[in-house]
């Protein structure tokens, strides 16, 4: 959970819904095929406090990246509320959103694509300062760029500042992307699979950097498919399946005592060093999730090893589990 003294609810998302139509194509339109809809985010609620790292965990296609993009209004939502630092931002127009865009920054999984190959490190980190008209004098801009680079671990800055992306390693490129976010001094950083494209040898350094930012008081929303990373670094974990959070709670609680069959399956395939903690890997069978055709009842029932007849009819709510930490909640009819 958030460390003592952390502000409550920097980001507060309630009942978020994001859907988009599947293109029918010319033939589909001529044939008048029904319009299908991707239910990418289907009633998601979570919060992030200042000084807290929350991990949204799940397989590809579960809606975690769309959730993050909806929070920053890159993707429009059709329902629910997004409160940031006490302000409802879900209904703001682009002009009203502009100052808030400084305060919520996102870094992407692919530092090879997120940097412009024509820009030096200085250009890349200076760009957001110019876009937001933050500092007029070039000496002050340079000082801000140096400060952000040092915070992102690109030290000494002189060594990197005039380099182009192709002259940097993958880890250094991700640090440049982080520095370009930090130069705006955001309150919330969204990290979308921040290490999945990096060599294993540099992942720990980037994760330690994010951990340090969290300790300095920044809220961090980490999107990841890697439960072991989430367990190690996050304060809280929210497990997503087909557009919904199916289990959430303090990271240690969720990992040590998973309640939802989906979380149990994810945890069963995480490699463990301690032989006493090893479990039999539980490979999920059945169709892979399809957010166009969400199954009725519990959306996990076609793949759930514990499913019963009622699971096909009743959609379980996320709720407290008797005898557990009240912040540990799961959506399963058997609990
Ligand atoms: Fe499995 Fe039924 Fe629980 Fe859903 S409600 S997770 S199908 S046991």
């Amino acid at each position: 959970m958030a460390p003592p003294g952390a502000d409550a609810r920097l980001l507060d998302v309630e009942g978020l819904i994001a859907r988009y139509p599947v293109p029918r194509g010319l033939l589909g339109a001529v044939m008048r095929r029904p319009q299908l809809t991707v239910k990418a985010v289907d009633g998601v609620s979570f919060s992030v406090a200042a000084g807290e790292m929350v991990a949204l965990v799940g397989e590809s296609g579960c809606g975690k990246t769309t959730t993050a993009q909806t929070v920053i209004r890159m993707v429009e939502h059709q329902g629910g509320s997004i409160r940031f630092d006490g302000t409802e931002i879900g209904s703001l127009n682009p002009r009203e959103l502009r100052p808030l865009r400084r305060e919520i920054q996102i870094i992407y999984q692919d530092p090879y694509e997120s940097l412009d190959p024509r820009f030096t490190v200085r250009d890349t980190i200076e760009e957001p300062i110019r876009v937001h008209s933050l500092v007029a004098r070039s000496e002050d801009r340079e000082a801000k760029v140096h400060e952000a680079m040092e915070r992102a671990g690109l030290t000494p800055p002189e060594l990197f500042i005039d380099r182009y992306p192709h002259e940097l390693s993958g880890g250094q490129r991700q640090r440049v992307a982080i520095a370009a976010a930090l130069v705006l001094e955001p309150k919330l950083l969204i990290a979308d699979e921040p290490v999945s494209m990096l060599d294993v040898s540099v992942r720990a350094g980037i994760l330690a950097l994010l951990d340090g930012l969290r300790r300095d008081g920044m809220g961090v929303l980490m999107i990841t498919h890697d439960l072991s990373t989430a367990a190690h670094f996050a304060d809280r974990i929210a497990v997503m399946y087909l557009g919904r959070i199916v289990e959430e709670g303090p990271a240690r609680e969720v990992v040590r005592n998973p309640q939802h069959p989906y979380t149990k399956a994810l945890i069963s395939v995480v490699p463990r060093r301690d032989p006493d903690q090893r479990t039999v890997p539980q490979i999920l069978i059945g169709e892979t999730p399809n957010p166009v055709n969400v199954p009725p009842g519990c959306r996990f029932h076609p793949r759930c090893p514990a499913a019963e007849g009622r699971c096909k009819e009743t959609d379980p709510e996320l709720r407290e589990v008797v005898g557990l930490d009240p912040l540990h909640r799961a959506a399963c009819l058997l609990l």
Side-chain angles (χ1 to χ4, degrees), residues 25-297:
L26 187 58
L27 187 62
V30 171
M31 305 278 290
R32 295 178 185 270
R33 288 189 183 136
Q35 179 68 64
L36 300 176
T37 303
V38 176
K39 299 179 185 77
V41 182
D42 200 14
V44 164
S45 304
F46 65 94
S47 64
V48 183
E52 182 185 38
M53 186 186 289
V54 174
L56 269 185
V57 182
E59 298 167 287
S60 300
C62 72
K64 55 192 191 303
T65 292
T66 308
T67 300
Q69 291 175 337
T70 309
V71 164
I72 57 171
R73 301 280 311 276
M74 273 173 70
V75 169
E76 285 306 327
H77 61 297
Q78 286 73 46
S81 129
I82 309 163
R83 288 185 74 77
F84 177 72
D85 214 8
T87 302
E88 172 60 53
I89 64 171
S91 53
L92 297 184
N93 64 37
R95 191 175 53 77
E96 294 166 328
L97 266 178
R98 197 174 152 85
L100 286 166
R101 292 207 183 277
R102 267 179 61 189
E103 306 204 335
I104 308 176
Q105 289 291 301
I106 185 165
I107 56 165
Y108 297 96
Q109 70 179 107
D110 190 352
Y112 299 87
E113 289 214 336
S114 61
L115 302 181
D116 189 324
R118 300 163 303 168
F119 279 18
T120 63
V121 170
R122 176 188 284 105
D123 298 335
T124 301
I125 302 173
E126 245 184 21
E127 174 81 352
I129 304 177
R130 290 180 194 277
V131 167
H132 287 274
S133 310
L134 287 188
V135 181
R137 291 175 53 207
S138 64
E139 311 90 271
D140 295 341
R141 274 202 303 274
E142 184 79 356
K144 270 200 156 298
V145 170
H146 277 240
E147 191 188 322
M149 290 178 71
E150 279 169 2
R151 241 182 129 191
L154 288 164
T155 52
E158 297 75 24
L159 194 63
F160 302 99
I161 200 161
D162 292 314
R163 293 195 195 173
Y164 288 88
H166 72 271
E167 298 173 301
L168 300 169
S169 69
Q172 288 164 348
R173 289 183 217 204
Q174 193 59 294
R175 286 180 190 273
V176 173
I178 293 172
L182 293 183
V183 80
L184 294 175
E185 297 173 19
K187 292 180 178 169
L188 177 70
L189 184 68
I190 299 176
D192 187 359
E193 301 275 10
V195 296
S196 62
M197 301 285 285
L198 301 180
D199 290 341
V200 174
S201 58
V202 297
R203 288 182 185 179
I206 297 294
L207 291 167
L209 168 58
L210 298 178
D211 190 40
L213 297 174
R214 176 264 302 269
R215 287 176 198 281
D216 288 345
M218 194 178 290
V220 179
L221 176 62
M222 181 158 66
I223 311 298
T224 180
H225 66 277
D226 181 356
L227 195 54
S228 57
T229 297
H232 195 74
F233 288 94
D235 298 295
R236 283 190 293 130
I237 288 177
V239 180
M240 277 191 82
Y241 185 83
L242 264 187
R244 284 264 179 90
I245 291 174
V246 296
E247 182 159 4
E248 66 172 13
R252 283 189 178 189
E253 277 278 319
V254 170
V255 172
R256 285 188 187 164
N257 193 11
Q259 297 297 306
H260 195 281
Y262 178 60
T263 316
K264 289 180 185 175
L266 290 182
I267 287 174
S268 75
V269 293
V270 173
R272 310 220 179 187
R273 262 182 264 160
D274 182 350
D276 291 339
Q277 290 190 348
R278 284 183 196 151
T279 51
V280 179
Q282 195 182 321
I283 309 299
L284 291 174
I285 52 167
E287 290 176 29
T288 50
N290 181 350
V292 174
N293 294 314
V294 175

Side-chain angles (χ1 to χ4, degrees), residues 260-261 298 300-301 304 306-307 311 332-334:
H260 195 281
C298 173
F300 187 54
H301 86 254
C304 181
C311 301
C332 173
L333 296 174
L334 303 192

